[in-house]
Each structure stands twice: as structure tokens, then as C-alpha cells.
């Protein structure tokens, strides 16, 4: 439950449904998500540790401000490097990877893009990239990646519509299935911007 709440809050912040400076109250979030305060408290703590939220004693938790735009190229470069390493590790283990959950994530991504709900698209986008990191077999990469991706402004404005984003991810998936590391690497690097 904690992980589901964490992902929902993360996607709402990254999609800017929850903007910088927005106060987040445990009780209100617990009621909104229909859960007890414990998983909400844990989610807020995790997202604060990642830098997505800011917790101050006796002041509560707020959505952190986005980093200065001049830092975005550095953040993008670090994220690309982490995902490139993860992709290479995934290819080393290709025969041992179960791609069915990846296929399911991609199908959820398609449905989210068709619905046009930005927070669902962001959540699926994150799940897609997280699968690559998890399939690498290197847990440390995920620990490095989460705080970096939490500081990115996800750029969907470059697409004509949501389905264009889906097609980018579908092409990455197909290149991975085809065991074409150079193509998958190029497509992944172009997607992370």
C-alpha cells in the first residue's frame, strides 16, 4: 500500500497536479486515498528523502520547488547515464528477464495515453523506466535514479499528443525484445529529455 501511495503522490507532483509549495497533510491524503495515515506517512517520508517533498518540523510537508532550469541539462545527462547502464545490464541478462510484466506496463501506458489523464501517463512512464532499472538486476541503480528523476520536469510538450509518447516507449520495448542494444540505447536517450 505504501508503494502505491508513494507512486500516486510522485506522479501527481511530477505531472504538476500538485505544484511547488503545496502543503500535504497526512489526514487529508489518507481520506483521499481511502487508507490509514501510516502508509501516507511512510510515502511522505520516502518522497522527502528523495527530495521531491520538503518536510520541516512543526511546519508539515510541502512539494519541493523544481531545481533551477539551468540544472536541467545536468539532471537529464545523469538520468541518461543511469538508464544507459541499466539497459546494458538488462541486455546482459536478457535471457533471464520476464518481459510479460513489461508488456503489461506498456499496455497500461497505452490506456493512460488514450485517456489523456496526465498523472496516469506520468505514473506509467515512470513504471516503464523503472522496469528497465529493475530488470538490470542492479538495485543500486534504482536508488540513484529515483532522486534524479524526481528533480526532472517531464517534457511531454514536445509531443503532438499523448500517443506519440506511447509510440516512443513502444519502440524502445520492441528494440529491447529484438535484442538491438544500439537502437534501444538511441531511442532511450532520445526519450529522456
Amino acid at each position: 500500500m505504501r508503494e502505491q501511495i508513494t507512486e500516486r503522490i510522485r506522479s501527481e507532483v511530477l505531472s504538476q497536479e500538485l505544484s511547488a509549495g503545496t502543503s500535504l497533510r497526512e489526514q487529508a491524503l489518507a481520506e483521499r486515498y481511502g487508507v490509514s495515515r501510516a502508509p501516507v506517512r511512510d510515502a511522505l517520508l520516502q518522497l522527502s528523502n528523495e527530495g521531491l517533498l520538503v518536510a520541516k518540523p512543526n511546519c508539515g510537508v510541502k512539494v519541493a520547488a523544481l531545481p533551477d532550469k539551468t540544472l536541467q541539462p545536468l539532471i537529464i545527462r545523469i538520468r541518461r547515464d543511469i538508464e544507459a547502464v541499466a539497459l546494458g545490464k538488462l541486455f546482459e541478462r536478457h535471457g533471464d528477464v520476464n518481459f510479460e510484466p513489461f508488456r503489461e506496463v506498456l499496455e497500461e501506458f497505452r490506456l493512460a495515453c488514450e485517456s489523456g489523464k496526465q498523472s496516469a501517463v506520468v505514473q506509467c512512464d515512470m513504471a516503464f523506466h523503472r522496469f528497465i532499472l529493475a530488470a538490470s538486476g542492479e538495485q543500486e541503480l534504482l536508488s540513484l535514479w529515483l532522486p534524479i528523476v524526481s528533480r526532472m520536469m517531464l517534457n511531454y510538450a514536445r509531443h503532438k499528443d499523448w500517443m506519440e509518447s506511447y509510440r516512443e516507449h513502444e519502440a524502445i520495448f520492441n528494440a529491447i525484445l529484438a535484442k538491438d542494444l544500439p537502437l534501444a540505447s538511441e531511442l532511450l536517450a532520445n526519450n529522456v529529455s
Side-chain angles (χ1 to χ4, degrees):
M1 183 58 67
R2 178 192 57 81
E3 189 58 37
Q4 291 173 349
I5 300 300
T6 302
E7 287 303 316
R8 288 180 71 179
I9 295 171
R10 183 184 288 117
S11 68
E12 290 175 7
V13 172
L14 292 177
S15 67
Q16 298 177 13
E17 286 182 33
L18 294 172
S19 57
T22 301
S23 292
L24 301 176
R25 307 267 183 244
E26 277 181 28
Q27 186 61 40
L29 290 170
E31 290 171 7
R32 178 176 173 197
Y33 298 131
V35 298
S36 70
R37 290 174 59 172
V40 171
R41 185 178 312 114
D42 292 344
L44 295 178
L45 178 61
Q46 179 178 336
L47 294 170
S48 295
N49 289 338
E50 291 175 15
L52 197 60
L53 305 178
V54 176
K56 293 185 180 176
N58 303 317
C59 294
V61 177
K62 293 185 177 186
V63 175
L66 290 171
D68 186 294
K69 288 186 180 192
T70 61
L71 295 178
Q72 282 299 304
L74 172 63
I75 293 168
I76 290 168
R77 192 167 52 251
I78 293 169
R79 179 178 171 192
R80 280 183 179 153
D81 288 349
I82 292 168
E83 291 193 27
V85 169
L87 189 63
K89 295 285 187 181
L90 181 157
F91 270 79
E92 289 173 11
R93 309 178 62 241
H94 201 284
D96 297 326
V97 175
N98 176 7
F99 287 103
E100 193 52 38
F102 201 14
R103 193 180 311 278
E104 291 169 9
V105 166
L106 190 62
E107 177 60 15
E108 288 176 23
F109 197 171
R110 184 184 64 77
L111 294 172
C113 288
E114 286 177 350
S115 76
K117 186 172 184 211
Q118 186 168 349
S119 63
V121 171
V122 169
Q123 196 166 357
C124 291
D125 192 341
M126 295 280 292
F128 181 94
H129 291 271
R130 185 188 291 252
F131 183 90
I132 294 170
L133 289 149
S136 76
E138 298 288 340
Q139 184 62 33
E140 186 64 24
L141 290 175
L142 184 60
S143 300
L144 293 169
W145 179 80
L146 277 171
I148 296 299
V149 79
S150 295
R151 286 166 173 74
M152 282 189 71
M153 294 175 281
L154 301 181
N155 182 10
Y156 295 104
R158 63 190 173 86
H159 298 300
K160 292 181 287 193
D161 59 35
W162 292 115
M163 290 305 292
E164 191 173 322
S165 178
Y166 164 76
R167 287 187 292 276
E168 270 187 13
H169 289 81
E170 181 183 40
I172 296 166
F173 176 74
N174 289 335
I176 291 170
L177 285 184
K179 300 181 183 178
D180 188 340
L181 180 57
L183 178 59
S185 298
E186 178 185 343
L187 293 169
L188 187 61
N190 290 338
N191 176 255
V192 177
S193 61

